[in-house]
Amino acid sequence: MPAETTTTDAADTGAAHLGATGLRLEYGDHVVAEDLDLRIPDGKVTVLVGPNACGKSTALRALARLLKPAAGAVHLDGRDIAALGAREVALRLALLPQSPAAPDGITVRDLVARGRTPHQRWWRQWSAADEEAVDAALAATGATALAERSLDALSGGQRQRVWIAMALAQDTGVLLLDEPTTYLDLAHQVDVLELVARLNRERGRTVVMVLHELNLACRYADHVIAMRDGKVAAAGPPAEVVTPELVREVFGLRAAVIACPVAGTPLVIPELAARE
């Protein structure tokens, strides 16, 4: 297996330690993953890739404590996440699901403000610090001018920025994103991923994303986890992981892998009639 990415200490980045060992993930009688180990580098962008139904979104749900493993454990800051309270988890980890839902007519500012819910207590209601966190999240995502508009009136790309702003307002060390570019055109996909990369660089957030587009994953990931049939096929830097052999093994696709002329990252070019 390729060498793992060298990581920085979480104390230096403000990021939380996140990982999993020996996971058995099930939906009823259907086993999605067995004996699954996941190592998430601190302060880096990790992308889970793989074919449909390989278990990557299920693995993300387990990392977010939305799916209880039948065996094994997810560890957050060295503790079993199952032993932590919901508020304690929400102060360390934010999740943007694939198709988030919001009340009809809610304004952008009100939605972003919901990210501050874990910080509220019965003796500590809305404060100036909460207001500052919302303003900072809107500014970081370029959504300040949208603050008083209805979420329903925004384009897909704008809405995705607002949802990311809500997760930022939560002010956690880890940000989990399940297919954040779904339903977006290519320009908006790049826009959202550039935003995520900038937030990682400037704020030291540990980011874990599920992406379908392998070339975009290579461009924006520090660390790639390639999955197939509920198992990790390879993990490490994109330049070491994404090879013609890996693409054929994981995706059943014959392809050339060259250096992107713009970014220098791996660029996957399928062969004609390449599907096996």
Side-chain angles (χ1 to χ4, degrees):
M1 181 178 292
E4 295 285 332
T5 306
T6 300
T7 62
T8 56
D9 192 283
D12 296 330
T13 64
H17 294 285
L18 180 66
T21 54
L23 295 183
R24 179 183 174 91
L25 304 177
E26 304 174 341
Y27 291 114
D29 294 331
H30 176 59
V31 177
V32 178
E34 183 77 71
D35 199 24
L36 177 64
D37 295 340
L38 296 170
R39 176 182 171 274
I40 308 299
D42 298 320
K44 302 292 185 181
V45 176
T46 294
V47 178
L48 303 178
V49 299
N52 290 338
C54 72
K56 53 189 184 293
S57 287
T58 300
L60 194 77
R61 285 175 54 83
L63 290 175
R65 212 185 72 160
L66 294 182
L67 178 65
K68 182 179 179 181
V74 173
H75 303 284
L76 182 62
D77 285 333
R79 300 172 62 189
D80 186 341
I81 199 171
L84 302 177
R87 179 176 178 273
E88 194 172 0
V89 172
L91 289 172
R92 290 175 165 85
L93 182 154
L95 169 70
L96 179 58
Q98 184 176 344
S99 300
D104 292 340
I106 192 170
T107 67
V108 167
R109 177 173 290 277
D110 286 345
L111 180 66
V112 175
R114 292 190 173 203
R116 300 301 296 169
T117 300
H119 298 267
Q120 308 300 306
R121 303 296 288 269
W122 67 266
W123 66 84
R124 180 192 177 279
Q125 298 302 309
W126 193 259
S127 67
D130 294 316
E131 197 69 30
E132 290 172 4
V134 171
D135 288 341
L138 288 168
T141 54
T144 301
L146 306 174
E148 305 310 320
R149 293 182 61 181
S150 168
L151 185 71
D152 300 333
L154 303 184
S155 69
Q158 289 173 325
R159 282 197 300 272
Q160 202 68 330
R161 280 180 167 268
V162 171
W163 284 109
I164 293 173
M166 186 189 75
L168 282 182
Q170 197 170 325
D171 194 22
T172 62
V174 178
L175 181 60
L176 307 181
L177 306 169
D178 191 2
E179 300 187 33
T181 58
T182 299
Y183 309 126
L184 299 182
D185 61 37
L186 182 58
H188 283 105
Q189 289 180 43
V190 172
D191 190 40
V192 167
L193 293 175
E194 286 285 344
L195 168 62
V196 171
R198 178 168 57 81
L199 294 172
N200 165 259
R201 289 193 305 268
E202 296 177 356
R203 301 187 176 211
R205 296 286 197 276
T206 296
V207 178
V208 186
M209 291 190 288
V210 171
L211 290 180
H212 272 295
E213 224 303 322
L214 187 56
N215 287 328
L216 288 177
C218 289
R219 184 161 185 170
Y220 290 99
D222 300 304
H223 186 80
V224 168
I225 298 175
M227 294 185 61
R228 182 173 179 82
D229 297 329
K231 300 182 183 301
V232 174
E240 297 179 13
V241 168
V242 181
T243 64
E245 294 76 19
L246 184 282
V247 174
R248 188 167 184 170
E249 174 191 350
V250 170
F251 294 93
L253 187 70
R254 294 191 304 276
V257 178
I258 65 173
C260 172
V262 175
T265 52
L267 182 65
V268 178
I269 303 175
E271 297 180 9
L272 296 177
R275 172 66 70 179
E276 293 185 345

